[in-house]
């Protein structure tokens, strides 16, 4: 039953904020007034006579299904401070959903005067799905609500602080903002042991405006490290290495990108969940789009290493939904969580070692899979999210596609069945599409990736720095990789793409397009194609195409070259034949190399390199 009391009832699990810290984020992600007169601030809501406010929102919900499935927390309390005008009554209703989204009432109570309300909610009927929240309504005057929290009297399984690891490369302002979001949150600060900020850029974070304030506020809890650029895997690995060094307090590790808009409440929820989970597990936040702040990139992610992909969501997960309209009621089982924000328990790090020295791409996925296979699953909390740069505004035709192709092959060799027939067919189809789509520069570096994978584990010896320079030099040999201002190109007819071929016919269409190109059956002249229409099966119909870059900042000119197409096709056939024939030996070599590659000693060697 509700009652008034001066303080909280137990351990803090999450807070209810009524708005973001920044005006660029729609407050409806936090609370919904339904058009009634309510004034909201970050930690406070003022309701006028006749108004109402619901926390059945993205950040307002309590992820009850996840708490029931993975913790022993059977009862939580919603508590908040309130004050009502004379004659005003504030009604508090707790409600819940089930797996299908049906809503059921839990409690309804009326409050007058002022005090602290505490309402218990049982976490007992959510196993397959559902969430809990509270709604407010006022009549007869005005009411104010603030300091709303969800707590429990249950003791945590692991009363442990967290080490935050952020790696950055030439984004000093972003890094300062992200660390600042952690540093200024008083509740979160109580849980943070150290912030390890690993700076690998030439534009140092230490020179950015606001850094001195960070250092003054965090004091000895800020561990600012400079090192040569070892990519994302090297930056995160350095932070994890330092956080788990001998003599440091036992902490979990929370890794975060530098270029996110950080909601500190999400971090608090992740740390809460990790403390109460029955068994140690990775706890991740969802990714919200930075340019479209109410849209969720994917509600959870998984991998299909047998087919070299992580593009498909797991069962019941959704991609690209608007959080103002979509409510995630179904509990989803994630395969991993990307490192825009992910908490890794210390037990997992001790069991599996440090990340692979991949430089960039697939390091977070491989680590999540490695942890999962070692008995440490991942939960992606549905009401915890950070905003990250949109993937659909990034063109895949850049130097990083080398690392993506090489590292997914390594990850598959380590963790999948690695069937030579399936792997070789998948690689042939993917790179074949690049060739047919006139992306000769990208095809060249991905062919190099396959060749380097075939060479064995020694290709990771330098952590990727020399390879980065090599790949950039190789890409520069192909004119189709050059991003040009659109003003360089004369106006051309824009050709929209026809309907996509059915999935089962894609390989047949690929062979057909390649044959048509070789036989000269291509549309003559040059056309323009928009970024969303730049699929291989469309671009490959033309002799030359000016394709808009996904970033919308320029264009690339893709022109058919028979000699390059034939040479790359032959190289692809040779490499795929070797993949198919050598799959068992490759799998054995890469699996045997994992302990050494992920050891503290190997990373110490890489960190020491100038």
């Amino acid at each position: 039953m509700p009652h008034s009391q001066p303080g909280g009832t137990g351990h803090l699990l999450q807070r209810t904020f009524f708005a973001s810290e920044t005006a660029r984020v729609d407050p409806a992600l936090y609370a919904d007034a339904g058009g009634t007169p309510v004034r909201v601030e970050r930690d406070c809501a003022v309701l006028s006579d006749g108004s109402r406010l619901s926390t059945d929102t993205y950040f307002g919900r309590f992820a009850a299904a996840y708490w029931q499935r993975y913790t022993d927390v059977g009862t939580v309390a919603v508590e908040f401070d309130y004050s009502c005008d004379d004659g005003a009554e504030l009604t508090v209703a707790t409600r819940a959903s089930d797996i299908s989204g049906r809503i059921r009432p839990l409690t309804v109570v009326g409050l007058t005067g002022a005090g602290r309300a505490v309402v218990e909610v049982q976490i007992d009927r959510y196993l397959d799905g559902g969430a809990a929240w509270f709604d407010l309504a006022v009549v007869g005057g005005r009411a104010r609500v603030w300091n709303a929290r969800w707590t429990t009297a249950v003791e945590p399984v692991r009363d442990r602080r967290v080490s935050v690891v952020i790696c950055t490369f030439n984004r000093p302002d972003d890094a300062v903002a992200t660390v600042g979001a952690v540093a200024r949150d008083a509740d979160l600060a109580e849980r943070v042991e150290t912030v390890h900020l690993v700076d690998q850029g030439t534009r140092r974070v230490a020179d950015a405006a606001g850094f001195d304030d960070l250092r003054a506020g965090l004091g000895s809890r800020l561990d600012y490290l400079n090192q040569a650029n070892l990519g994302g895997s090297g930056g995160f690995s350095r932070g994890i290495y330092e956080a788990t060094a001998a003599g440091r307090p036992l902490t979990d590790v929370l890794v975060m990108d530098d270029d996110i808009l950080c909601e500190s409440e999400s971090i608090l929820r992740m740390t809460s969940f990790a403390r109460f989970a029955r068994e140690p597990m990775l706890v991740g936040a969802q990714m919200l789009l930075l340019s479209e702040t109410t849209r969720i990139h994917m509600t959870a992610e998984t991998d299909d290493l047998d087919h070299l992909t992580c593009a498909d969501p797991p069962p019941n997960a959704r991609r690209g939904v608007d959080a103002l309209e979509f409510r995630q009621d179904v509990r989803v089982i994630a395969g991993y969580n990307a490192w825009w924000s992910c908490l890794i328990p210390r037990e997992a790090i001790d069991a599996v070692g440090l990340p692979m020295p991949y430089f960039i791409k697939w390091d977070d996925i491989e680590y999540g899979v490695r942890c999962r296979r070692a008995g440490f699953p991942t939960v992606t909390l549905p009401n915890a999210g950070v905003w990250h740069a949109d993937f659909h505004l990034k063109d895949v035709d850049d130097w990083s596609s080398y690392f993506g192709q090489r590292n997914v092959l390594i990850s598959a060799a380590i963790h999948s069945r690695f069937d030579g027939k399936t792997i070789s067919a998948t690689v042939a189809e993917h790179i074949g599409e690049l060739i047919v789509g006139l992306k000769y520069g990208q095809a060249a570096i991905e062919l190099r990736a396959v060749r380097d994978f075939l060479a064995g584990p020694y290709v990771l010896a330098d952590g990727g720095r020399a390879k980065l320079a090599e790949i950039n030099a190789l890409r520069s040999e192909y004119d189709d990789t050059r991003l040009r201002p659109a003003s360089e190109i004369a106006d051309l007819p824009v050709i929209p793409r026809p309907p996509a071929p059915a999935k089962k016919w894609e390989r047949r269409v690929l062979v057909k397009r390649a044959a048509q190109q070789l036989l000269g059956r291509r549309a003559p002249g040059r056309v323009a194609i928009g970024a969303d229409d730049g699929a291989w099966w469309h671009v490959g119909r033309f002799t030359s195409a000016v394709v808009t870059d996904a970033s919308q900042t320029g264009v690339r000119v893709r022109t058919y070259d028979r000699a390059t197409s034939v040479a790359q096709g032959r190289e692809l056939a040779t490499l795929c034949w070797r993949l198919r024939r050598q799959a068992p030996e490759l799998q054995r070599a890469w699996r045997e190399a994992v302990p050494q590659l992920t050891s503290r000693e190997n990373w110490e060697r890489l960190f020491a390199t100038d």
Side-chain angles (χ1 to χ4, degrees):
M1 292 295 296
H3 58 281
S4 298
Q5 65 175 51
T9 59
H11 299 284
L12 175 62
L13 303 182
Q14 74 177 50
R15 300 164 296 188
T16 297
F17 289 127
F18 301 108
S20 172
E21 290 186 299
T22 173
R24 68 181 298 182
V25 174
D26 193 327
L29 284 173
Y30 295 81
D32 179 13
T36 62
V38 178
R39 179 169 59 84
V40 295
E41 299 174 359
R42 175 72 165 168
D43 192 39
C44 174
V46 180
L47 290 80
S48 301
D49 185 13
S51 64
R52 59 186 176 83
L53 189 68
S54 176
T55 62
D56 180 20
T57 60
Y58 182 82
F59 285 113
R61 286 181 151 206
F62 182 80
Y66 291 79
W67 281 89
Q68 182 177 348
R69 172 62 182 83
Y70 298 108
T71 81
D72 290 319
V73 174
T75 303
V76 298
V78 178
E79 53 181 85
F80 54 85
D81 295 310
Y82 69 95
S83 65
C84 301
D85 290 349
D86 289 342
E89 182 179 22
L90 175 66
T91 299
V92 184
T94 58
R95 294 189 170 94
S97 64
D98 64 14
I99 188 173
S100 64
R102 289 187 294 256
I103 297 174
R104 64 181 186 272
L106 299 177
T107 60
V108 180
V109 297
L111 300 170
T112 58
R116 185 160 185 81
V118 180
V119 183
E120 287 191 349
V121 175
Q122 301 300 314
I123 307 301
D124 58 355
R125 294 173 57 193
Y126 306 89
L127 196 56
D128 290 331
W133 63 91
F134 66 90
D135 295 338
L136 305 172
V138 65
V139 293
R142 212 174 49 150
R144 180 172 177 260
V145 172
W146 70 99
N147 194 24
R149 298 178 171 227
W150 294 71
T151 65
T152 184
V154 177
E155 292 299 317
V157 178
R158 287 165 296 279
D159 192 3
R160 186 181 298 169
R161 292 164 72 87
V162 65
S163 297
V164 176
V165 173
I166 300 170
C167 80
T168 185
F169 178 79
N170 286 346
R171 289 193 179 108
D173 294 335
D174 289 341
V176 167
T178 301
V179 177
V182 177
R184 65 177 170 265
D185 189 315
D187 288 321
L188 187 58
E190 293 180 0
R191 302 186 181 189
V192 174
E193 180 69 30
T194 307
V195 176
H196 302 276
L197 178 57
V198 184
D199 190 347
Q200 303 184 121
T202 55
R203 294 169 53 209
R204 295 300 192 188
V205 179
D207 298 327
F211 179 79
D212 290 341
D213 292 337
L214 284 184
R215 189 181 288 282
L218 288 169
S220 62
R221 291 189 300 142
L222 178 61
D223 179 26
Y224 177 61
L225 300 160
N226 294 125
Q227 69 177 28
N229 184 21
L230 289 168
S233 65
F236 283 126
S237 294
R238 178 65 183 276
I240 298 171
Y241 171 88
E242 297 293 344
T244 56
R248 285 195 178 272
L250 180 67
T251 67
D252 292 333
V253 176
L254 192 147
V255 291
M256 291 197 304
D257 278 341
D258 60 344
D259 59 342
I260 60 171
L261 177 58
C262 179
E263 170 52 83
S264 61
E265 172 59 18
S266 295
I267 300 174
L268 185 136
R269 295 180 186 188
M270 294 158 64
T271 59
S272 294
F273 197 87
R275 295 171 71 205
F276 284 90
R278 294 186 196 95
E279 301 295 336
M281 60 195 315
L282 283 70
V283 184
Q286 293 177 336
M287 172 185 152
L288 299 161
L289 305 191
L290 197 54
S291 70
E292 194 178 354
T293 56
T294 66
R295 195 164 299 280
I296 306 170
H297 164 61
M298 199 179 298
T299 56
E301 299 185 284
T302 194
D303 57 278
D304 180 7
L305 286 172
D306 285 338
H307 297 91
L308 306 180
T309 183
C310 61
D312 296 326
N316 297 315
R318 299 280 296 279
R319 183 202 308 272
V321 291
D322 189 335
L324 296 183
E325 302 172 355
F326 172 76
R327 301 290 184 266
Q328 183 178 332
D329 290 303
V330 181
R331 180 171 57 81
V332 178
I333 299 175
Y336 68 91
N337 201 98
W339 284 2
W340 44 71
S341 192
C342 183
L343 185 148
I344 309 168
R346 176 60 179 269
E347 292 87 346
I349 298 169
D350 290 342
V352 308
L354 297 172
M356 289 284 285
Y358 278 170
F359 191 79
I360 197 171
K361 297 283 189 181
W362 279 88
D363 48 322
D364 49 358
I365 302 173
E366 187 281 327
Y367 200 80
V369 174
R370 194 172 358 136
C371 288
R372 187 179 76 218
R373 291 171 63 90
F376 303 96
T378 293
V379 158
T380 298
L381 286 181
N383 302 110
V386 298
W387 292 270
H388 186 279
D390 307 26
F391 290 146
H392 70 274
L393 297 179
K394 296 181 178 181
D395 205 282
V396 296
D397 187 0
D398 67 10
W399 57 268
S400 68
S401 66
Y402 162 86
F403 293 98
Q405 181 64 261
R406 186 197 68 182
N407 297 345
V408 68
L409 284 168
I410 298 171
S411 301
I414 296 168
H415 298 298
S416 79
R417 295 181 300 114
F418 206 67
D419 173 70
K421 180 178 179 181
T422 302
I423 293 294
S424 60
T426 302
V427 170
E429 184 173 1
H430 169 66
I431 299 182
E433 290 171 358
L434 298 178
I435 298 170
V436 167
L438 314 183
K439 292 185 174 183
Y440 299 124
Q442 187 178 349
I445 64 174
E446 294 202 23
L447 287 166
R448 182 68 57 86
V450 178
R451 188 176 295 278
D452 286 349
F453 166 75
L454 290 165
Y458 86 89
V459 300
L460 300 183
D462 78 335
R465 280 174 292 175
K467 188 59 64 175
L468 176 61
E470 175 189 325
I471 294 306
N472 276 325
L474 178 58
R475 282 189 81 246
S476 68
E477 297 176 11
Y478 294 86
D479 191 61
D480 59 86
T481 66
R482 185 160 66 93
L483 188 63
R484 310 171 187 228
S487 58
E488 284 188 9
I489 310 297
D491 271 347
L492 298 166
V494 178
I495 309 297
R497 68 180 183 181
K503 188 70 176 177
K504 64 180 180 179
W505 300 119
E506 282 187 357
R507 289 186 181 179
R508 182 173 295 183
V509 173
L510 179 61
V511 173
K512 178 181 177 181
R513 286 283 186 277
Q516 289 172 332
Q517 288 179 344
L518 286 170
L519 294 172
R521 297 174 184 171
R522 306 177 304 276
R526 178 177 286 180
V527 298
I529 296 176
D532 288 344
D533 292 335
W536 60 267
W537 43 265
H538 182 44
V539 175
R541 298 163 54 209
F542 303 99
T543 298
S544 184
V546 179
V547 183
T548 306
D549 186 77
S551 68
Q552 300 294 309
T553 60
V555 298
R556 288 188 171 92
V557 178
R558 309 198 188 283
T559 302
Y560 179 70
D561 185 301
R562 179 185 175 89
T564 300
S565 178
V566 170
Q568 289 188 339
R570 286 174 176 167
E571 182 179 4
L572 176 60
T574 300
L575 294 175
C576 287
W577 176 79
R578 289 182 59 192
L579 267 177
R580 181 167 181 168
R581 183 173 61 88
Q582 298 174 4
E585 306 97 273
L586 289 164
Q587 184 175 52
R588 183 166 53 253
W590 281 106
R591 285 184 172 178
E592 289 175 353
V594 171
Q596 186 275 327
L597 289 170
T598 61
S599 68
R600 297 182 72 86
E601 293 76 16
N602 186 50
W603 276 109
E604 286 169 359
R605 178 184 62 81
L606 292 171
F607 298 148
T609 306
D610 293 330

